[in-house]
């Protein structure tokens, strides 16, 4: 028989042997889980044992053996410790990066524009209407960045050498863009072509290079921002599996217990109820099926609507083309300052009236999915507006630029400014007058109409149309991003007021989580790609004006870059810049390879999204089948229990007796515990007892 000391010694030896291969953190956890006193755990963690007076020599032996084992282990793992130290440093750096990133995101969210207003809009009108206001705020960030870039590198240097404007300001310039504004930093023709240098020893500033590089940097940043945003929203809304869960997690795990204020709680409840209603409505619409006759009728209605909409768009484009062709002759024969507003007025009327006509087609087409209706309206409107912009670009580059005018770049900038301003005025008039009159008619005159619903497609295409004009005009009017920034501020508040007063929530709730991806895609193609083509033709094919602008006297705009590269090629320290330009920026093969890589990545993302859709659908079917199997087994079990009860009725009586006995036993234990508490209270002198 072994004594208790020997048994304890064997147990401790095994414990120490198991602790040797562990890391320090795992060793501490293992010691904490041991059923020992705190004193023994402290001794173990320090590498020793509980030293008693009875067997002090044995405890010292254990302590010595523990130290020897630690020493051997430290020799074996000395090279591993250095690696662990590097890993710990990397982990600490990654943790610090994540914490700083989270802190920065919290700060940006706290100072984010219109955060509370957007929550109210989303809670009352749903994510479909909210997507328009999110898109407007996203465009505002673009224009803020563009304005800061232009103001820092183009406008401020020009201010230092600008001459005093001698023209008289009358106020009509705000509408026409001519007169006093012609000799300001607003237009291309005012900028100098000389190298700015203050003092004999001061640094020089080449205005030609600054102008073209700033515009190029602005457009390049917009290009990569659009690509990054498309990839981000595509990943979040098409690839991540949580979007296919039907919003079930919103029902169970969505509440944020940090929300304590009454208004915030009500707003959170309204947002959640709206999102849940959208998810359920979308599931119901996906499960609906139509007969063959209904499908044939709707297909015929779709074809008729597309033929009519395409014909209307072609007629409008033809009207704009013939009006633009005779616009220069019309302006020469009419000296009235308001004559320059004819072309912008006609274009804005078309952009306002034709989308409203397109919106009435929904009465004939009757799409089951509201998302499909919005997609169709967006495609029709983008075809109309981009076609009009294409005709205007053709007019500017082939008629105005070759007309022999004194400063044709400034004339194009003035045309774009008037188009942008007229479109903004029409939008405001429609928001405060047209939508208000529609509310009066629907609520008082023809009550069967009721309140109207917010037209997402028309309003989004207004933003895309205006932003396309800004990108085209940024070369001819560098202050256009600032003007667009002010217009977007005013547009947000005007649309918000009109939305709350004149509109009702969508009659068919639907989830618009993927709309933002589609909006950015339309902004990228054909809007931004068309802008790049227009500016590329301007820079590589057209001759600048001889008497105005930073590129005066050059055969082409791009010759400023060519002369700069030739200058750098004579300096050995800048040969790497020459190599980058000639082999990357100026190479067609590089852009071909870059485009091919982007297309391959897009295809891979799309395949991943399709694969995950199939996987999630199979998992849903598997869950449904497992549920049916469980229901079948439960029904079989219930039938077997019923058969046993019918075959042995005495067993049911025995089960009842056992239950009654267990109940009486628990009741006796409860009474005994009460009696014990009563006795203790009497012993302690409790007066209540």
């Amino acid at each position: 028989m072994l004594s208790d000391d020997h048994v304890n010694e064997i147990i401790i030896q095994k414990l120490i042997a198991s602790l040797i291969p562990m890391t320090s953190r795992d060793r501490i956890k293992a010691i904490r889980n041991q059923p020992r006193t705190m004193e023994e755990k402290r001794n173990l963690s320090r590498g020793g044992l509980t030293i008693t007076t009875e067997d002090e020599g044995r405890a010292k032996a254990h302590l010595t053996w523990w130290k020897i084992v630690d020493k051997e282990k430290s020799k074996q793992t000395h090279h591993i410790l250095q690696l662990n130290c590097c890993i710990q440093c990397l982990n600490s750096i990654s943790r610090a990066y994540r914490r700083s990133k989270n802190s920065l995101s919290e700060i940006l969210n706290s100072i984010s524009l219109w955060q509370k207003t957007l929550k109210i809009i989303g809670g009352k009108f749903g994510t479909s209407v909210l997507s328009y206001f999110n898109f407007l705020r996203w465009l505002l960030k673009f224009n803020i960045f563009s304005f800061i870039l232009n103001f820092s590198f183009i406008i401020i240097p020009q201010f230092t050498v600008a001459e005093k404007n001698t023209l008289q300001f009358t106020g009509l310039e705000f509408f026409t863009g001519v007169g006093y504004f012609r000799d300001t930093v607003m237009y291309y023709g005012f900028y100098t072509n000389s190298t700015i240098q203050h003092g004999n020893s001061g640094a020089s500033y080449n205005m030609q290079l600054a102008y073209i590089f700033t515009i190029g940097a602005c457009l390049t940043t917009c290009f990569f921002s659009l690509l990054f945003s498309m990839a981000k929203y595509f990943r979040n809304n098409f690839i991540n599996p949580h979007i296919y869960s039907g919003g079930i997690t919103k029902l169970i795990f969505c509440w944020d217990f940090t929300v304590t204020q009454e208004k915030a709680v009500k707003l959170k409840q309204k947002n959640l109820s709206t999102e849940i209603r959208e998810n359920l409505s979308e599931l119901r619409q996906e499960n609906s099926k139509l007969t063959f006759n209904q499908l044939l009728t709707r297909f015929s209605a779709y074809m008729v609507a597309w033929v009519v909409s395409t014909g209307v768009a072609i007629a409008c484009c033809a009207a704009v083309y013939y009006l633009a062709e005779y616009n220069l002759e019309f302006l020469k024969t009419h000296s009235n300052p308001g004559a320059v507003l004819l072309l912008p007025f006609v274009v804005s009327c078309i952009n306002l009236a034709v989308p409203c006509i397109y919106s009435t087609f929904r009465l004939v087409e009757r799409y089951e999915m509201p998302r499909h209706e919005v997609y169709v309206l967006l495609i029709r409107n983008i075809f109309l507006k981009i076609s009009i912009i294409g005709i205007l670009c053709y007019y500017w580059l082939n008629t105005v630029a070759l007309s022999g005018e004194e400063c044709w770049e400034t004339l194009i900038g003035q045309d774009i400014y008037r188009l942008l301003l007229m479109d903004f005025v029409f939008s405001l008039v429609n928001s405060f007058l047209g939508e208000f009159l529609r509310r009066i008619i629907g609520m008082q005159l023809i009550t069967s109409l009721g309140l109207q619903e917010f037209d997402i497609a028309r309003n989004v295409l207004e933003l895309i149309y205006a932003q396309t004009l800004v990108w085209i005009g940024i070369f001819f009017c560098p202050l256009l991003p600032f003007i667009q920034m002010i217009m977007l501020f005013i547009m947000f508040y005007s649309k918000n007021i009109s939305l709350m007063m004149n509109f009702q929530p969508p009659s068919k709730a639907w989830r618009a989580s993927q709309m933002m991806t589609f909006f950015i895609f339309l902004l990228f193609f054909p809007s931004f790609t068309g802008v790049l083509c227009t500016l590329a033709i301007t820079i590589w094919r057209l001759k600048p004006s001889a008497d105005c602008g930073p590129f005066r006297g050059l055969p082409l705009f791009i010759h400023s870059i060519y002369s700069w590269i030739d200058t750098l090629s004579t300096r050995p320290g800048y040969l790497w810049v020459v190599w980058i330009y000639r082999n990357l920026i100026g190479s067609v093969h590089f852009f071909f390879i870059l485009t091919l890589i982007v297309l391959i990545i897009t295809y891979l993302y799309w395949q991943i999204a399709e694969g995950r859709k199939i996987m999630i659908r199979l998992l849903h079917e598997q869950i449904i089948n497992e549920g049916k199997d469980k229901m079948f087994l439960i029904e079989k079990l219930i039938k077997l229990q019923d058969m046993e009860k019918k075959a042995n009725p005495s067993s049911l009586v025995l089960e009842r007796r056992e239950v009654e006995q267990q109940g009486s036993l628990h009741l006796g234990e409860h009474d005994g515990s009460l009696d014990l508490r009563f006795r203790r209270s009497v012993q302690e002198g409790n007066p209540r007892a």
Side-chain angles (χ1 to χ4, degrees), residues 145-155 185-188 191 205 207-223 470-481 528 531-532 534-536 538-540 550-551 557 561:
F145 170 78
S146 301
F147 167 68
I148 292 174
L149 206 62
N150 288 350
F151 186 77
S152 301
F153 296 99
I154 298 178
I155 298 174
V185 292
M186 186 172 178
Y187 293 117
Y188 163 92
Y191 290 87
Y205 193 82
M207 199 63 190
Q208 290 183 352
L209 297 178
Y211 197 94
I212 198 167
F213 279 146
T214 303
I215 302 298
C218 180
L219 295 176
T220 304
T221 306
C222 291
F223 175 78
V470 171
W471 278 333
I472 295 174
I474 195 173
F475 186 81
F476 309 102
C477 181
L479 273 181
L480 272 186
F528 188 75
V531 170
L532 293 181
T534 303
L535 293 180
T538 303
I539 294 173
W540 269 273
F551 302 98
F557 292 95
I561 301 294

Side-chain angles (χ1 to χ4, degrees), residues 291-303 364-365:
T291 62
F292 178 75
N293 292 331
Q294 290 175 338
L295 288 174
L296 184 61
T297 303
R298 292 198 174 184
F299 182 75
S300 302
Y302 297 159
M303 290 297 295
V364 179
E365 294 173 318

Side-chain angles (χ1 to χ4, degrees), residues 588-646:
V588 179
H589 302 288
F590 171 75
F591 287 100
F592 175 76
I593 295 172
L594 184 64
T595 306
L596 189 63
I597 292 173
V598 171
L599 292 176
I600 291 173
I601 294 173
T602 305
Y603 176 76
L604 291 176
Y605 266 111
W606 185 259
Q607 289 299 315
I608 291 172
E610 294 297 322
R612 290 189 176 181
K613 286 181 183 179
I614 296 172
M615 179 188 67
I616 291 168
R617 187 179 69 250
L618 294 176
L619 290 175
H620 281 173
E621 294 176 356
Q622 183 179 352
I623 291 171
I624 292 171
N625 293 330
E626 289 181 357
K628 291 179 180 179
D629 294 340
K630 290 181 180 179
M631 292 299 297
F632 176 76
L633 294 175
I634 290 172
E635 290 176 358
K636 287 290 186 183
L637 182 62
I638 292 173
K639 289 180 180 179
L640 290 174
Q641 289 179 351
D642 292 339
M643 292 173 63
E644 289 180 358
K645 289 177 182 178
K646 291 178 181 179

Side-chain angles (χ1 to χ4, degrees), residues 4-263:
D4 294 339
D5 294 336
H6 289 287
V7 172
N8 191 22
E9 180 182 355
I10 294 171
I11 293 172
I12 292 175
Q13 287 178 355
K14 291 182 178 180
L15 175 61
I16 293 175
S18 64
L19 293 176
I20 289 174
M22 295 183 182
T23 61
S24 300
R25 185 180 299 176
D26 295 336
R27 191 183 301 173
I28 293 172
K29 290 181 180 179
I31 292 173
R32 287 177 180 173
N33 294 329
Q34 290 295 317
R36 297 181 179 277
T37 62
M38 291 299 297
E39 186 67 24
E40 291 176 346
K41 290 181 180 180
R42 290 193 186 98
N43 290 328
L44 282 172
S45 63
R46 287 194 297 265
L49 302 174
T50 305
I51 301 175
T52 59
T53 56
E54 297 178 358
D55 203 353
E56 184 177 356
R58 187 182 301 164
K60 289 181 179 179
H62 279 298
L63 181 60
T64 305
W65 183 69
W66 178 280
K67 291 181 178 179
I68 292 172
V69 170
D70 274 350
K71 186 176 181 181
E72 292 295 327
K73 185 180 178 181
S74 63
K75 290 180 180 179
Q76 295 174 1
T77 61
H78 180 70
H79 65 282
I80 300 176
L81 291 176
Q82 296 179 353
L83 182 62
N84 291 336
C85 181
C86 296
I87 294 173
Q88 289 178 359
C89 292
L90 292 175
N91 291 335
S92 61
I93 292 172
S94 63
R95 284 195 301 269
Y97 171 74
R98 287 196 299 268
R99 290 173 183 173
S100 61
K101 183 179 179 181
N102 294 333
S103 302
L104 182 61
S105 63
E106 290 177 0
I107 294 172
L108 292 177
N109 289 330
S110 62
I111 62 175
S112 182
L113 283 172
W114 307 313
Q115 194 72 24
K116 184 178 179 181
T117 306
L118 293 176
K119 289 182 179 179
I120 294 173
I121 294 172
K124 187 174 181 180
F125 294 92
T127 56
S128 57
V129 179
L130 179 63
S131 61
Y132 165 78
F133 290 91
N134 283 328
F135 186 60
L136 189 151
R137 185 176 65 170
W138 188 79
L139 287 178
L140 179 63
K141 296 177 182 178
F142 257 122
N143 288 280
I144 291 175
F145 170 78
S146 301
F147 167 68
I148 292 174
L149 206 62
N150 288 350
F151 186 77
S152 301
F153 296 99
I154 298 178
I155 298 174
I156 291 180
Q158 180 62 31
F159 271 131
T160 60
V161 294
E163 298 178 358
K164 186 178 180 181
N165 194 342
T166 58
L167 297 177
Q168 184 179 2
F169 182 76
T170 60
L172 190 62
E173 290 86 352
F174 284 115
F175 301 98
T176 61
V178 298
Y180 181 84
F181 287 158
R182 183 184 178 90
D183 291 338
T184 61
V185 292
M186 186 172 178
Y187 293 117
Y188 163 92
F190 181 72
Y191 290 87
T192 181
N193 66 332
S194 60
T195 300
I196 301 174
Q197 185 174 6
H198 296 281
N200 296 328
S201 60
S204 60
Y205 193 82
N206 193 325
M207 199 63 190
Q208 290 183 352
L209 297 178
Y211 197 94
I212 198 167
F213 279 146
T214 303
I215 302 298
C218 180
L219 295 176
T220 304
T221 306
C222 291
F223 175 78
F224 286 106
S225 298
L226 286 171
L227 285 181
F228 175 77
S229 300
M230 278 196 297
K232 173 186 173 183
Y233 284 105
F234 185 81
R235 183 182 67 249
N236 294 337
N237 299 325
F238 287 91
I239 295 180
N240 287 346
H242 66 82
I243 66 168
Y244 307 109
S245 61
I248 302 302
T249 54
K250 288 283 183 182
L251 280 168
I252 305 173
F253 310 108
C254 59
W255 187 254
D256 186 5
F257 289 95
T258 60
V259 179
T260 56
Q261 296 182 358
E262 184 177 358
K263 292 183 179 180

Side-chain angles (χ1 to χ4, degrees), residues 365-383:
E365 294 173 318
R366 295 181 181 179
Y367 288 96
E368 287 291 331
M369 298 286 291
R371 186 190 298 111
H372 296 164
E373 179 182 331
V374 174
Y375 286 160
V376 170
L377 287 175
L378 283 171
I379 293 172
R380 289 171 181 167
N381 286 311
I382 198 71
F383 175 73

